[in-house]
Amino acid sequence: MAARAATSIAPTVIIGTTVDDPIQAKRFVDVAGVIGLLGYAALAYYSRGGLGEPELVPFFALIGWVSLPWLLTWIVVFGCFQRAGVPELPIGRLLIWAVLFRVCGLFGVPLFEDDYFRYLWDGFRFAETGTPYGAAPAAFFADAQIPEVFQRILDHINYPDVPTIYGPVTELLFLLAYLLEPGSLIPLQALLIGVDILLIRLLLTVARPTHVLLYAWCPLVIKEIAFTAHPDGLGVSLAIAAIVLSLRRHTVGAAICIALAVGAKVFALLLVPFVLARAGPRAWLAFVAVLALLYLPFAIRGDTDLPALALFAAGWEFNSALYGVVTQWLSPTPTKWLLGAVLIALGGSYWLAYRRDTPGQIPRGDWIYGAFLVAAPVINPWYALWLLPFAVIHPSRWAWTASAALFLSYVTAINLGSLHLDPFAQPFWVRPVEFGLILGALGIDIWRHRSDRSNPDMELADRTTIQSSRRPTRG
């Protein structure tokens, strides 16, 4: 469905220039790459206070700067290659610019984010005591034995009275970053950039390079992983690896990878029934065994991430969509039960349909995580990292519109400098605009899908496109 909508976008004229052959398209990619690279370099400079204290208007101007070459490149290159019927954009070109964009993040610092202080602290606690779990950061405020660099980090941790919510695989990544350079964010950024490049390589085995470009050059992905070091990229990379292994019928390997993904972030649990839908007992045993091995050493020492996760799920609300609407009539607890029941019903129906489908199909992770986020009490922009790789495999307007619209969630009282509201309160217009843009794009997807279904020639062309997108392409 989504792939049909995407194939209909093939403009031929951009800024007065007709791009009608692959050589011109490749040159256009390089020009756009240079423009994007300058934009990310400017973002890194700005993040370090190069133009004064960070403010939202310059931030959005820079995001607009790097978004323009991203979108124009996809439109021009996809349109050119579709008409010319020639091989895809060379993979090397795609990866070089993707890497260069991300390297800029190593020279910047997180904008409008402070989660990274928790990552650095967890790595330190893991190395010092053998576990990052149990004690909340606030318990160490008066501890004179804490090294000075980590005392400064400790002062900036948000919600210091709450223990860490990150899974054991993510904590192992924090530990590795600490061992490379204690108290520095750069090793963690570099590790996550490496993982993200591996994810791009995985996507190239199941999707067309011109569609992979949507993810590889996506400003949200680059900002949230390379600049901000959000570790969700680790979990989703392991989940995609599990799906690729499942497609190749390495069911035990797939089970191990999806267990590691769950150990990185609990979001991966939503994919487990689909990755192991046709797996035998050995694969399920491997999944349970790996997950148990990940958690057992910490459980023996007295604690894991689960109590803090339960606290987070019970009490947090930020930038919610459907949850925020329903709580206008119901209290939070009944709302969660109601939306949870709806999600289980929809997810169960889709799982039954997926089980009946032809083996070798990739689950619609964009639907799964899209529905989950619509119902969730919290929608942070980096949560989109879980659905965007699936929007490469099943392209749609709504998912990539969401990758841009979710930047609006940064418009909060604390980032606006308002002292009269709760720090994470948003102006009244933010959510209507944010989710209105996504709903509008979804409406266009539905309309295009219905139009294409009424055209048998388009239906045949789209099936051919979907089949060809599953073949790895080299260049």
Side-chain angles (χ1 to χ4, degrees), residues 286-471:
F287 170 76
V288 173
V290 170
L291 204 56
L293 287 172
L294 289 172
Y295 274 94
L296 191 59
F298 302 108
I300 290 173
R301 295 178 68 97
D303 218 337
T304 66
D305 60 317
L306 299 181
L309 276 176
L311 184 64
F312 176 85
W316 264 261
E317 191 278 336
F318 173 71
N319 195 45
S320 61
L322 192 57
Y323 175 86
V325 173
V326 177
T327 50
Q328 299 300 310
W329 292 276
L330 297 176
S331 61
T333 299
T335 299
K336 290 173 184 176
W337 281 106
L338 174 62
L339 294 179
V342 172
L343 284 177
I344 291 172
L346 291 175
S349 298
Y350 175 53
W351 183 80
L352 291 173
Y354 179 79
R355 281 271 300 169
R356 292 193 297 267
D357 208 344
T358 306
Q361 298 297 311
I362 296 175
R364 293 300 303 260
D366 53 335
W367 291 353
I368 294 167
Y369 287 110
F372 171 72
L373 291 179
V374 165
V378 176
I379 306 178
N380 288 312
W382 55 91
Y383 291 179
L385 296 174
W386 285 88
L387 67 86
L388 292 179
F390 294 97
V392 170
I393 301 165
H394 308 286
S396 63
R397 289 171 178 83
W398 74 264
W400 297 106
T401 299
S403 77
L406 285 173
F407 276 117
L408 289 172
S409 65
Y410 283 111
V411 182
T412 61
I414 190 172
N415 293 335
L416 290 169
S418 173
L419 302 177
H420 304 294
L421 298 171
D422 180 270
F424 295 104
Q426 297 170 302
F428 72 93
W429 58 267
V430 169
R431 297 190 203 188
V433 173
E434 180 183 358
F435 299 120
L437 289 169
I438 299 170
L439 280 173
L442 178 61
I444 295 172
D445 280 335
I446 294 170
W447 176 72
R448 291 299 309 174
H449 171 58
R450 290 179 176 175
S451 298
D452 292 346
R453 286 293 295 270
S454 65
N455 186 337
D457 293 334
M458 180 65 73
E459 184 84 7
L460 177 61
D462 290 335
R463 283 199 298 268
T464 303
T465 299
I466 293 169
Q467 291 168 1
S468 66
S469 71
R470 300 288 169 80
R471 304 187 191 109

Side-chain angles (χ1 to χ4, degrees), residues 184-253:
S184 172
L185 186 63
I186 291 176
L188 182 59
Q189 290 173 296
L191 290 169
L192 287 169
I193 288 170
V195 169
D196 199 36
I197 296 302
L198 290 176
L199 173 57
I200 293 171
R201 292 294 306 182
L202 282 173
L203 290 173
L204 286 165
T205 68
V206 293
R208 301 180 63 169
T210 43
H211 289 159
V212 176
L213 184 144
L214 283 169
Y215 179 89
W217 288 25
C218 178
L220 181 78
V221 173
I222 295 166
K223 189 268 180 189
E224 299 300 345
I225 291 178
F227 281 81
T228 313
H230 278 295
D232 293 67
L234 174 63
V236 74
S237 297
L238 288 165
I240 295 295
I243 288 170
V244 171
L245 288 170
S246 179
L247 290 174
R248 296 175 179 176
R249 300 186 180 181
H250 299 307
T251 54
V252 173

Side-chain angles (χ1 to χ4, degrees), residues 255-267:
I256 292 171
C257 278
I258 197 63
L260 292 171
V262 173
K265 190 152 190 177
V266 71
F267 283 7

Side-chain angles (χ1 to χ4, degrees), residues 24-36 73 93 97 217:
Q24 284 182 290
K26 292 172 184 177
R27 289 173 181 165
F28 186 94
V29 169
D30 290 336
V31 171
V34 170
I35 295 171
T73 299
R93 225 179 201 89
W97 288 113
W217 288 25

